[in-house]
Amino acid sequence: MSATANGQTTYVVVSGNPDDVAQMKAYCEQNHCVAGQIEDGDHHSGNLICEHDSAKNGHHLHFALYGGSLSPAQCEQIFASFP
């Protein structure tokens, strides 16, 4: 997933069980939870800002945030509400 704001592009790469990733992608497409593009595969650029592992109800996803102008502390705040 990628979004651009103020000339800076931020990329979120989601990995895990293919079925779990597909369910998340479908949910985001239906609910417009991303203000940018949702693509298959890893198309990021820029430095790694932070990573987060999320596990709930037997599902596990790994999130990695790249590029943009967020600080690691801001990135951690974004993921603080994730299970």
Side-chain angles (χ1 to χ4, degrees):
M1 296 179 255
S2 65
T4 302
N6 298 325
Q8 297 280 333
T9 302
T10 302
Y11 302 87
V12 178
V13 178
V14 181
S15 57
N17 175 298
D19 291 336
D20 294 342
V21 173
Q23 285 179 357
M24 182 181 169
K25 178 183 176 189
Y27 175 86
C28 283
E29 288 173 340
Q30 291 171 358
N31 294 286
H32 308 288
C33 60
V34 176
Q37 294 183 304
I38 299 174
E39 301 177 76
D40 290 329
D42 183 347
H43 303 283
H44 80 273
S45 65
N47 294 327
L48 175 66
I49 299 171
C50 74
E51 298 177 272
H52 177 78
D53 286 297
S54 181
K56 186 174 181 180
N57 299 329
H59 303 283
H60 177 263
L61 293 172
H62 179 81
F63 299 85
L65 190 96
Y66 297 89
S69 60
L70 295 173
S71 71
Q74 290 170 313
C75 182
E76 291 298 328
Q77 286 178 330
I78 291 169
F79 290 125
S81 64
F82 283 47

